[in-house]
Amino acid sequence: MGNVEKLKELIEKSKSIVFFGGAGVSTQSGIPDFRSADGLYSESYGAVSPETVLSHDFFVHHTAEFYEFYKSKMLYPDAQPNAAHFALAELEKRGKLKAVITQNIDGLHQKAGSETVHELHGSAMRNKCMKCKKVFSLDYVIESNGVPVCNVCGSTIKPDVVLYGEMLDDDVWEKAAKATAESDLLIVGGTSLAVYPAANIVRYFDGDNIVLINMSETQFDKKASLVIREPIGDVFEQAMKLL
Ligand code: CNA
């Protein structure tokens, strides 16, 4: 039996699936990840790594440079969901999938129709004035010149994303951990499982079957009952034809 048929069988016999993913879920939507060969980490930004630029300290002390990088490298307002996003939304509609847990900030799961999405690293779709807390759209941030400022109080706007050096939101984490603990099939995909604490979410899984769909090896492969090294959009596209 091929891997996709195995995945199909596991999905068929499961009642409560949780999907945990990362940047690799959106590469087929044209958004580069961090750790692939053509990911953001392979590009050079002088002495400063993307991890440094995307840190809380850098945001506070070099806000203009932060936004220059963030707007040009992290925002893809025209990106559209791919077959993986659509399949996960469809599985939720069919009552099979209980939650998507994502490290992505691109909002593509919601764009595809997913309703229960726990965004561990927040979302670029939401932006907030640091002083008066007024909420702004992604378009407002993109259309602003340089550092976006609040049109009420003039303070700096910060994207509602978790920067390096910041804590994850407790409430989001608890919901994600609970969904994982209650699931009977965990599908992990498009993530290097190298970013913590996000990667720890897999430890809450207490069921029998983990499926890992990732182009490169991860430290978690040994724990998976099925490892598929194909592009995740293609895998889900084929699986949905069988389901
Ligand atoms: P990562 O560390 O860049 O790992 C991505 C993984 O996905 C790699 O192991 C790749 O081999 C794999 N991969 C790439 N394309 C595919 C594909 N089509 N099918 C299957 N596997 C694929 O990304 P992580 O998410 O693990 O790292 C965490 C960071 C990256 C999070 O904080 C994200 O917020 C951040 N990030 C998010 C986005 C986004 O929102 N789309 C984009 C870039 C980075």
Side-chain angles (χ1 to χ4, degrees), residues 22-23 27 34-35 103-106 121 191-192 214-216 232:
T27 53
F34 279 175
R35 290 179 183 78
Q103 299 164 81
N104 294 347
I105 59 167
D106 56 32
H121 293 159
T191 173
S192 60
N214 207 58
M215 293 297 279
S216 54
I232 193 163

Side-chain angles (χ1 to χ4, degrees), residues 215-227:
M215 293 297 279
S216 54
E217 200 178 331
T218 77
Q219 35 114 2
F220 210 70
D221 289 11
K222 304 179 280 301
K223 298 218 168 71
S225 35
L226 176 61
V227 177

